[in-house]
């Protein structure tokens, strides 16, 4: 899964320039295209009521066991969570979710935002913690 992200030419090899380009893109230019796609898929299924499409990450890599896959997935989702949690508070508030939606070009009414946010805020705290975010990710992955 990780290798495929860096091997854009699908050659089975990652040359130095491809590697450097992807590292620079993800580490220094904000949200990478892969993360943008993952976040867009998440918000589209919840806020825009669209069906889940392809899995958000290439989780079909048979060279790793289930525990390694789960660790990788959790780290990837935590990275997405941290991108949305703009103030680093450890939770996502409605303003941060609205900022995410706007940055992805999703225009929603306040009622649509309220409804979608309420679906994610399972404990009714008014914020989305990492556990709720991870549950959301897994629900989208499984097509629920």
């Amino acid at each position: 899964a990780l290798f495929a992200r860096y091997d854009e030419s699908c050659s089975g090899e990652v040359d130095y320039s491809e590697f450097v380009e992807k590292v620079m893109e993800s580490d220094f230019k904000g949200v990478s295209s892969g993360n943008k796609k993952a976040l867009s898929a998440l918000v589209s299924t919840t806020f825009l009521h669209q069906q889940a499409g392809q899995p958000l990450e290439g989780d079909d890599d048979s060279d790793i066991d289930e525990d390694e896959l789960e660790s990788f997935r959790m780290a990837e989702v935590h990275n997405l969570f941290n991108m949305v949690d703009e103030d680093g508070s450890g939770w996502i508030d409605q303003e941060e979710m609205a900022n995410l939606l706007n940055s992805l070009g999703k225009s929603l009414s306040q009622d649509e935002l309220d409804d979608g946010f309420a679906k994610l805020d399972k404990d009714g705290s008014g914020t989305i913690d990492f556990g709720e975010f991870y549950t959301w990710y897994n629900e989208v992955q499984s097509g629920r």
Side-chain angles (χ1 to χ4, degrees), residues 83-102:
M83 287 180 200
V84 181
D85 179 20
E86 296 169 345
D87 62 7
S89 62
W91 57 79
I92 298 169
D93 61 29
Q94 205 165 31
E95 181 179 341
E96 289 168 325
M97 185 60 71
N99 291 343
L100 169 65
L101 293 163
N102 289 333

PDB file of all heavy atoms in Angstrom, residues 83-102:
ATOM      1  N   MET A  83      -4.717  16.411  10.338  1.00  0.00           N
ATOM      2  CA  MET A  83      -4.873  17.443   9.315  1.00  0.00           C
ATOM      3  C   MET A  83      -6.164  18.231   9.516  1.00  0.00           C
ATOM      4  O   MET A  83      -6.201  19.437   9.278  1.00  0.00           O
ATOM      5  CB  MET A  83      -4.881  16.817   7.932  1.00  0.00           C
ATOM      6  CG  MET A  83      -3.548  16.340   7.486  1.00  0.00           C
ATOM      7  SD  MET A  83      -3.706  15.630   5.850  1.00  0.00           S
ATOM      8  CE  MET A  83      -2.236  14.646   5.819  1.00  0.00           C
ATOM      9  N   VAL A  84      -7.208  17.541   9.933  1.00  0.00           N
ATOM     10  CA  VAL A  84      -8.496  18.198  10.137  1.00  0.00           C
ATOM     11  C   VAL A  84      -8.508  18.961  11.461  1.00  0.00           C
ATOM     12  O   VAL A  84      -9.095  20.033  11.555  1.00  0.00           O
ATOM     13  CB  VAL A  84      -9.646  17.166  10.075  1.00  0.00           C
ATOM     14  CG1 VAL A  84     -10.996  17.845  10.265  1.00  0.00           C
ATOM     15  CG2 VAL A  84      -9.624  16.408   8.753  1.00  0.00           C
ATOM     16  N   ASP A  85      -7.857  18.414  12.475  1.00  0.00           N
ATOM     17  CA  ASP A  85      -7.771  19.040  13.801  1.00  0.00           C
ATOM     18  C   ASP A  85      -6.767  20.195  13.739  1.00  0.00           C
ATOM     19  O   ASP A  85      -5.636  20.096  14.197  1.00  0.00           O
ATOM     20  CB  ASP A  85      -7.349  17.993  14.836  1.00  0.00           C
ATOM     21  CG  ASP A  85      -7.209  18.573  16.236  1.00  0.00           C
ATOM     22  OD1 ASP A  85      -7.773  19.652  16.504  1.00  0.00           O
ATOM     23  OD2 ASP A  85      -6.513  17.930  17.048  1.00  0.00           O
ATOM     24  N   GLU A  86      -7.193  21.297  13.168  1.00  0.00           N
ATOM     25  CA  GLU A  86      -6.314  22.431  12.875  1.00  0.00           C
ATOM     26  C   GLU A  86      -5.627  23.016  14.100  1.00  0.00           C
ATOM     27  O   GLU A  86      -4.485  23.467  14.024  1.00  0.00           O
ATOM     28  CB  GLU A  86      -7.108  23.533  12.170  1.00  0.00           C
ATOM     29  CG  GLU A  86      -7.644  23.118  10.823  1.00  0.00           C
ATOM     30  CD  GLU A  86      -8.638  24.120  10.251  1.00  0.00           C
ATOM     31  OE1 GLU A  86      -9.143  24.993  11.000  1.00  0.00           O
ATOM     32  OE2 GLU A  86      -8.916  24.016   9.049  1.00  0.00           O
ATOM     33  N   ASP A  87      -6.319  23.038  15.236  1.00  0.00           N
ATOM     34  CA  ASP A  87      -5.747  23.668  16.419  1.00  0.00           C
ATOM     35  C   ASP A  87      -4.993  22.686  17.317  1.00  0.00           C
ATOM     36  O   ASP A  87      -4.465  23.075  18.353  1.00  0.00           O
ATOM     37  CB  ASP A  87      -6.814  24.418  17.218  1.00  0.00           C
ATOM     38  CG  ASP A  87      -7.921  23.514  17.752  1.00  0.00           C
ATOM     39  OD1 ASP A  87      -7.819  22.269  17.624  1.00  0.00           O
ATOM     40  OD2 ASP A  87      -8.901  24.057  18.301  1.00  0.00           O
ATOM     41  N   GLY A  88      -4.947  21.411  16.918  1.00  0.00           N
ATOM     42  CA  GLY A  88      -4.206  20.416  17.681  1.00  0.00           C
ATOM     43  C   GLY A  88      -4.814  20.085  19.033  1.00  0.00           C
ATOM     44  O   GLY A  88      -4.134  19.585  19.928  1.00  0.00           O
ATOM     45  N   SER A  89      -6.107  20.314  19.181  1.00  0.00           N
ATOM     46  CA  SER A  89      -6.776  20.108  20.460  1.00  0.00           C
ATOM     47  C   SER A  89      -7.026  18.634  20.793  1.00  0.00           C
ATOM     48  O   SER A  89      -7.314  18.299  21.931  1.00  0.00           O
ATOM     49  CB  SER A  89      -8.127  20.837  20.453  1.00  0.00           C
ATOM     50  OG  SER A  89      -8.968  20.291  19.439  1.00  0.00           O
ATOM     51  N   GLY A  90      -6.938  17.776  19.787  1.00  0.00           N
ATOM     52  CA  GLY A  90      -7.233  16.363  20.018  1.00  0.00           C
ATOM     53  C   GLY A  90      -8.662  16.003  19.670  1.00  0.00           C
ATOM     54  O   GLY A  90      -9.076  14.858  19.842  1.00  0.00           O
ATOM     55  N   TRP A  91      -9.416  16.957  19.171  1.00  0.00           N
ATOM     56  CA  TRP A  91     -10.762  16.694  18.683  1.00  0.00           C
ATOM     57  C   TRP A  91     -11.080  17.661  17.560  1.00  0.00           C
ATOM     58  O   TRP A  91     -10.442  18.689  17.396  1.00  0.00           O
ATOM     59  CB  TRP A  91     -11.809  16.761  19.795  1.00  0.00           C
ATOM     60  CG  TRP A  91     -11.853  18.059  20.539  1.00  0.00           C
ATOM     61  CD1 TRP A  91     -12.435  19.224  20.125  1.00  0.00           C
ATOM     62  CD2 TRP A  91     -11.273  18.347  21.806  1.00  0.00           C
ATOM     63  NE1 TRP A  91     -12.258  20.209  21.052  1.00  0.00           N
ATOM     64  CE2 TRP A  91     -11.547  19.690  22.106  1.00  0.00           C
ATOM     65  CE3 TRP A  91     -10.551  17.593  22.731  1.00  0.00           C
ATOM     66  CZ2 TRP A  91     -11.126  20.289  23.275  1.00  0.00           C
ATOM     67  CZ3 TRP A  91     -10.134  18.207  23.899  1.00  0.00           C
ATOM     68  CH2 TRP A  91     -10.426  19.535  24.160  1.00  0.00           C
ATOM     69  N   ILE A  92     -12.079  17.291  16.787  1.00  0.00           N
ATOM     70  CA  ILE A  92     -12.511  18.106  15.647  1.00  0.00           C
ATOM     71  C   ILE A  92     -13.827  18.754  16.020  1.00  0.00           C
ATOM     72  O   ILE A  92     -14.784  18.062  16.385  1.00  0.00           O
ATOM     73  CB  ILE A  92     -12.670  17.233  14.388  1.00  0.00           C
ATOM     74  CG1 ILE A  92     -11.321  16.611  14.016  1.00  0.00           C
ATOM     75  CG2 ILE A  92     -13.250  18.038  13.228  1.00  0.00           C
ATOM     76  CD1 ILE A  92     -11.409  15.518  12.959  1.00  0.00           C
ATOM     77  N   ASP A  93     -13.861  20.076  15.937  1.00  0.00           N
ATOM     78  CA  ASP A  93     -15.127  20.770  16.200  1.00  0.00           C
ATOM     79  C   ASP A  93     -15.832  21.052  14.868  1.00  0.00           C
ATOM     80  O   ASP A  93     -15.303  20.774  13.799  1.00  0.00           O
ATOM     81  CB  ASP A  93     -14.904  22.038  17.027  1.00  0.00           C
ATOM     82  CG  ASP A  93     -14.006  23.062  16.356  1.00  0.00           C
ATOM     83  OD1 ASP A  93     -13.963  23.133  15.103  1.00  0.00           O
ATOM     84  OD2 ASP A  93     -13.342  23.815  17.091  1.00  0.00           O
ATOM     85  N   GLN A  94     -17.013  21.593  14.962  1.00  0.00           N
ATOM     86  CA  GLN A  94     -17.813  21.814  13.763  1.00  0.00           C
ATOM     87  C   GLN A  94     -17.159  22.819  12.816  1.00  0.00           C
ATOM     88  O   GLN A  94     -17.257  22.683  11.599  1.00  0.00           O
ATOM     89  CB  GLN A  94     -19.228  22.254  14.139  1.00  0.00           C
ATOM     90  CG  GLN A  94     -20.222  21.929  13.066  1.00  0.00           C
ATOM     91  CD  GLN A  94     -21.645  22.013  13.549  1.00  0.00           C
ATOM     92  OE1 GLN A  94     -21.970  22.808  14.424  1.00  0.00           O
ATOM     93  NE2 GLN A  94     -22.501  21.202  12.981  1.00  0.00           N
ATOM     94  N   GLU A  95     -16.478  23.799  13.342  1.00  0.00           N
ATOM     95  CA  GLU A  95     -15.794  24.780  12.495  1.00  0.00           C
ATOM     96  C   GLU A  95     -14.676  24.112  11.692  1.00  0.00           C
ATOM     97  O   GLU A  95     -14.505  24.386  10.504  1.00  0.00           O
ATOM     98  CB  GLU A  95     -15.225  25.920  13.344  1.00  0.00           C
ATOM     99  CG  GLU A  95     -14.532  26.981  12.517  1.00  0.00           C
ATOM    100  CD  GLU A  95     -13.986  28.124  13.375  1.00  0.00           C
ATOM    101  OE1 GLU A  95     -14.429  28.295  14.529  1.00  0.00           O
ATOM    102  OE2 GLU A  95     -13.108  28.843  12.880  1.00  0.00           O
ATOM    103  N   GLU A  96     -13.919  23.227  12.335  1.00  0.00           N
ATOM    104  CA  GLU A  96     -12.849  22.521  11.629  1.00  0.00           C
ATOM    105  C   GLU A  96     -13.423  21.605  10.552  1.00  0.00           C
ATOM    106  O   GLU A  96     -12.856  21.487   9.461  1.00  0.00           O
ATOM    107  CB  GLU A  96     -11.992  21.718  12.620  1.00  0.00           C
ATOM    108  CG  GLU A  96     -11.139  22.615  13.488  1.00  0.00           C
ATOM    109  CD  GLU A  96     -10.499  21.906  14.666  1.00  0.00           C
ATOM    110  OE1 GLU A  96     -11.115  20.983  15.244  1.00  0.00           O
ATOM    111  OE2 GLU A  96      -9.367  22.289  15.010  1.00  0.00           O
ATOM    112  N   MET A  97     -14.563  20.969  10.838  1.00  0.00           N
ATOM    113  CA  MET A  97     -15.202  20.129   9.828  1.00  0.00           C
ATOM    114  C   MET A  97     -15.691  20.984   8.666  1.00  0.00           C
ATOM    115  O   MET A  97     -15.543  20.611   7.504  1.00  0.00           O
ATOM    116  CB  MET A  97     -16.363  19.330  10.437  1.00  0.00           C
ATOM    117  CG  MET A  97     -17.005  18.351   9.471  1.00  0.00           C
ATOM    118  SD  MET A  97     -15.890  17.079   8.820  1.00  0.00           S
ATOM    119  CE  MET A  97     -15.652  16.059  10.257  1.00  0.00           C
ATOM    120  N   ALA A  98     -16.250  22.144   8.962  1.00  0.00           N
ATOM    121  CA  ALA A  98     -16.698  23.050   7.903  1.00  0.00           C
ATOM    122  C   ALA A  98     -15.511  23.504   7.054  1.00  0.00           C
ATOM    123  O   ALA A  98     -15.613  23.581   5.822  1.00  0.00           O
ATOM    124  CB  ALA A  98     -17.425  24.256   8.504  1.00  0.00           C
ATOM    125  N   ASN A  99     -14.379  23.787   7.700  1.00  0.00           N
ATOM    126  CA  ASN A  99     -13.170  24.170   6.955  1.00  0.00           C
ATOM    127  C   ASN A  99     -12.717  23.051   6.032  1.00  0.00           C
ATOM    128  O   ASN A  99     -12.309  23.295   4.896  1.00  0.00           O
ATOM    129  CB  ASN A  99     -12.039  24.550   7.911  1.00  0.00           C
ATOM    130  CG  ASN A  99     -12.299  25.839   8.649  1.00  0.00           C
ATOM    131  OD1 ASN A  99     -13.146  26.639   8.265  1.00  0.00           O
ATOM    132  ND2 ASN A  99     -11.585  26.045   9.739  1.00  0.00           N
ATOM    133  N   LEU A 100     -12.767  21.808   6.522  1.00  0.00           N
ATOM    134  CA  LEU A 100     -12.420  20.662   5.685  1.00  0.00           C
ATOM    135  C   LEU A 100     -13.345  20.580   4.481  1.00  0.00           C
ATOM    136  O   LEU A 100     -12.888  20.453   3.345  1.00  0.00           O
ATOM    137  CB  LEU A 100     -12.506  19.356   6.489  1.00  0.00           C
ATOM    138  CG  LEU A 100     -12.421  18.074   5.663  1.00  0.00           C
ATOM    139  CD1 LEU A 100     -11.057  17.941   4.998  1.00  0.00           C
ATOM    140  CD2 LEU A 100     -12.736  16.873   6.527  1.00  0.00           C
ATOM    141  N   LEU A 101     -14.629  20.655   4.725  1.00  0.00           N
ATOM    142  CA  LEU A 101     -15.597  20.569   3.633  1.00  0.00           C
ATOM    143  C   LEU A 101     -15.362  21.670   2.604  1.00  0.00           C
ATOM    144  O   LEU A 101     -15.368  21.414   1.398  1.00  0.00           O
ATOM    145  CB  LEU A 101     -17.021  20.627   4.184  1.00  0.00           C
ATOM    146  CG  LEU A 101     -17.434  19.414   5.017  1.00  0.00           C
ATOM    147  CD1 LEU A 101     -18.663  19.730   5.849  1.00  0.00           C
ATOM    148  CD2 LEU A 101     -17.663  18.207   4.134  1.00  0.00           C
ATOM    149  N   ASN A 102     -15.139  22.884   3.076  1.00  0.00           N
ATOM    150  CA  ASN A 102     -14.880  24.001   2.164  1.00  0.00           C
ATOM    151  C   ASN A 102     -13.611  23.785   1.365  1.00  0.00           C
ATOM    152  O   ASN A 102     -13.566  24.054   0.162  1.00  0.00           O
ATOM    153  CB  ASN A 102     -14.810  25.321   2.926  1.00  0.00           C
ATOM    154  CG  ASN A 102     -16.158  25.774   3.433  1.00  0.00           C
ATOM    155  OD1 ASN A 102     -17.193  25.443   2.864  1.00  0.00           O
ATOM    156  ND2 ASN A 102     -16.154  26.512   4.521  1.00  0.00           N
TER     157      ASN A 102
END
